[in-house]
Amino acid sequence: RLANSRRWNGDHAVNAVPTSGMTALSIGKGIRLDTADDLEATLRQIGATRYHSLHPFHRLLHGGKLNKGQVQAWALNRYYYQSTIPLKDAVVISRFRDRAIRMEWRHRIEDHDGYPDSEGGIERWLKLTEGLGLDTAYVESTEGILPATRFAVEAYVHFCRDRTPLEAIASSLTELFAPNLHEERIAGMLKHYDFVNPDIMSYFSRRLTQAARDAGFALDFVKKNARTQAEREAVCNALIFKTNVLWVQLDALYHAYVEGHIPPGAFVPKG
């Protein structure tokens, strides 16, 4: 036995969960989820081993190992994900008859779309792409994004539409792990890139508090509403699906802009 079977995920110590039976699709059948605490421990273990903060592309991005064109490609492709989040959240809202849940979830759309007199996350992301030298009309057209980016993001929307409402909310639980990634990104990119400044990184600084708030609600919801082994497995598998959505986008970026296999018609950095 290990001397200490508790592991740390962010600021949370959780019981270590065996991962040998997990696949790329599911947690498998060897993990008992008898309590809500078992569920949370498994969710945090999934994040600790599968969140896209671990991807080699992020290590390059945050470590200052990419050139400006590669950073542009990342921001351009990520815009499609960011701009689709309000559509995904509108789908989630449509799954619930409970007005209280709709009201709680609605602020996620407002966080990204903003208000008539206040910018939201999408505008802050466009501030990033503009600061990196990309034409805003080109970014908003999404004409230059990688096919894999489009397929992954659309799969996420379809998942929230077609699976149970419980799974739709569970798929958002990657936000449990986002604040640490945002802190690493802000510090790393400001340190290593002379073409990055705090103003164009405002999206990430704002999400430090928003993501934590949103994740808290979603985690409480799944712990309360997933009552059976099957339901808890479905919650865990929904999170695995979402980590795959995020991971595969970075796979595509790495293949195209680090290894140099840019597909026809996709964005080609200048110089």
Side-chain angles (χ1 to χ4, degrees):
R1 292 176 60 86
L2 294 174
N4 185 351
S5 62
R6 293 175 71 78
R7 298 185 60 173
W8 288 86
N9 183 268
D11 295 328
H12 298 269
V14 296
N15 293 326
V17 176
T19 59
S20 58
M22 292 188 185
T23 70
L25 180 66
S26 74
I27 63 170
K29 297 300 181 182
I31 298 176
R32 291 300 307 168
L33 301 170
D34 296 323
T35 68
D37 287 342
D38 291 340
L39 172 60
E40 180 175 354
T42 303
L43 292 170
R44 293 192 180 279
Q45 182 72 2
I46 291 168
T49 55
R50 296 173 183 247
Y51 190 51
H52 65 162
S53 59
L54 302 172
H55 196 283
F57 189 90
H58 272 162
R59 301 293 174 86
L60 296 175
L61 176 66
H62 301 160
K65 305 300 184 182
L66 301 180
N67 60 41
K68 187 174 182 178
Q70 291 168 322
V71 177
Q72 287 177 323
W74 163 74
L76 172 70
N77 277 269
R78 182 74 180 186
Y79 171 79
Y80 188 65
Y81 175 82
Q82 301 300 153
S83 63
T84 304
I85 291 300
L87 305 182
K88 180 272 298 184
D89 286 328
V91 169
V92 174
I93 287 174
S94 74
R95 306 297 308 280
F96 287 92
R97 298 291 304 177
D98 188 322
R99 183 166 63 94
I101 295 175
R102 295 200 307 270
M103 291 174 64
E104 166 61 35
W105 209 263
R106 188 172 61 201
H107 72 74
R108 294 168 177 249
I109 297 176
E110 295 162 348
D111 286 346
H112 279 81
D113 280 346
Y115 300 89
D117 58 348
S118 177
E119 69 178 8
I122 293 175
E123 288 180 77
R124 286 189 285 272
W125 196 272
L126 289 171
K127 185 184 297 182
L128 170 64
T129 57
E130 182 179 348
L132 291 173
L134 292 169
D135 177 71
T136 296
Y138 178 68
V139 174
E140 291 183 311
S141 76
T142 74
E143 290 285 341
I145 68 171
L146 298 170
T149 300
R150 195 179 306 277
F151 296 153
V153 173
E154 292 181 357
Y156 183 29
V157 177
H158 295 167
F159 183 94
C160 293
R161 180 194 67 194
D162 298 337
R163 306 299 283 263
T164 66
L166 178 65
E167 291 168 286
I169 284 188
S171 67
S172 75
L173 284 169
T174 47
E175 290 177 315
L176 284 170
F177 322 109
N180 289 341
L181 176 62
H182 293 330
E183 289 178 350
E184 178 183 334
R185 179 169 296 153
I186 292 168
M189 293 183 69
L190 289 176
K191 177 181 178 181
H192 295 295
Y193 300 114
D194 59 9
F195 50 83
V196 171
N197 61 68
D199 186 52
I200 70 171
M201 296 293 284
S202 62
Y203 172 86
F204 305 106
S205 56
R206 187 63 177 271
R207 287 301 295 169
L208 289 173
T209 55
Q210 291 176 341
R213 174 201 62 197
D214 294 346
F217 173 82
L219 180 60
D220 289 344
F221 181 90
V222 300
K223 289 177 69 176
K224 178 180 178 181
N225 290 279
R227 301 182 180 92
T228 67
Q229 173 75 18
E231 288 171 339
R232 290 170 180 154
E233 286 181 1
V235 165
C236 293
N237 294 341
L239 179 57
I240 288 176
F241 167 82
K242 176 61 179 306
T243 61
N244 288 340
V245 167
L246 297 174
W247 194 277
V248 75
Q249 292 177 70
L250 296 179
D251 279 348
L253 283 167
Y254 195 97
H255 183 70
Y257 297 104
V258 177
E259 296 182 338
H261 307 293
I262 301 174
F267 169 72
V268 177
K270 296 179 180 179

